[in-house]
Amino acid sequence: MRVLIQRCRRGQVSIDGQVVGAIDRGFVLLVGVSHEDGPEDVAYCARKISKLRVFEDEQGRMNASLDSFPDGAILSISQFTLYGDVRKGNRPSFTQSARPEVAEPLYEALNQTLRKAGFRVETGRFGADMQVLIENDGPVTLIIDSK
């Protein structure tokens, strides 16, 4: 499982011109699932996301996690292109991406695990053509790869 995390001031996702998920301060997650992933990858990524210390503390250092802020939230977007391979040719190959029947349950499990950890999690719709607005804060952008 590969998750691109962006610390944001706000984020929203729209489908066919309708906003289906929106947050203010928090994380925008772009989540890719490979055909090798399973529940252990979900647990690993959820643990990393929930403990990630990339927000400023009282001293102005990046030392606080998302759960330090009562209004902190997560916007989670499924993103199979995170496993796009462009090493050969100019057209990406997506052979490492999991098929939808494998990827969707693992993506949903990640969102549920984060909700159980106490976070408000907004989402787009798996497999939909989505427009994602991200106001990156910092900018702070990190990648978690469970492998």
Side-chain angles (χ1 to χ4, degrees):
M1 184 170 273
R2 191 171 285 161
V3 182
L4 187 137
I5 301 171
Q6 294 192 324
R7 186 179 75 181
C8 72
R9 291 185 184 189
R10 74 183 179 104
Q12 77 176 34
V13 58
S14 301
I15 301 171
D16 296 328
Q18 299 293 322
V19 174
V20 296
I23 64 166
D24 288 320
R25 183 181 200 174
F27 288 143
V28 174
L29 309 179
L30 303 178
V31 181
V33 179
S34 86
H35 58 81
E36 298 175 350
D37 291 335
E40 65 283 353
D41 300 282
V42 169
Y44 175 84
C45 289
R47 185 172 58 254
K48 282 294 196 182
I49 293 162
S50 64
K51 303 288 185 199
L52 195 61
R53 298 185 319 181
V54 295
F55 292 93
E56 291 183 358
D57 63 12
E58 301 81 28
Q59 288 78 38
R61 296 188 352 226
M62 278 196 347
N63 200 31
S65 58
L66 184 59
D67 61 2
S68 302
F69 306 99
D71 61 338
I74 294 171
L75 176 61
S76 176
I77 307 295
S78 62
Q79 185 75 43
F80 79 95
T81 61
L82 284 176
Y83 279 99
D85 184 353
V86 295
R87 291 178 289 178
K88 184 177 177 184
N90 294 316
R91 183 178 174 156
S93 167
F94 298 105
T95 59
Q96 292 301 309
S97 296
R99 298 199 41 81
E101 59 271 12
V102 172
E104 187 173 11
L106 292 173
Y107 166 71
E108 293 298 340
L110 175 67
N111 296 330
Q112 279 305 110
T113 303
L114 291 167
R115 286 181 182 113
K116 286 180 184 173
F119 298 104
R120 181 172 66 89
V121 179
E122 298 279 325
T123 65
R125 186 171 51 220
F126 187 90
D129 183 18
M130 298 175 275
Q131 293 71 50
V132 182
L133 174 71
I134 304 169
E135 187 177 328
N136 196 316
D137 183 19
V140 174
T141 304
L142 300 164
I143 296 174
I144 295 174
D145 197 322
S146 63
K147 301 297 183 210

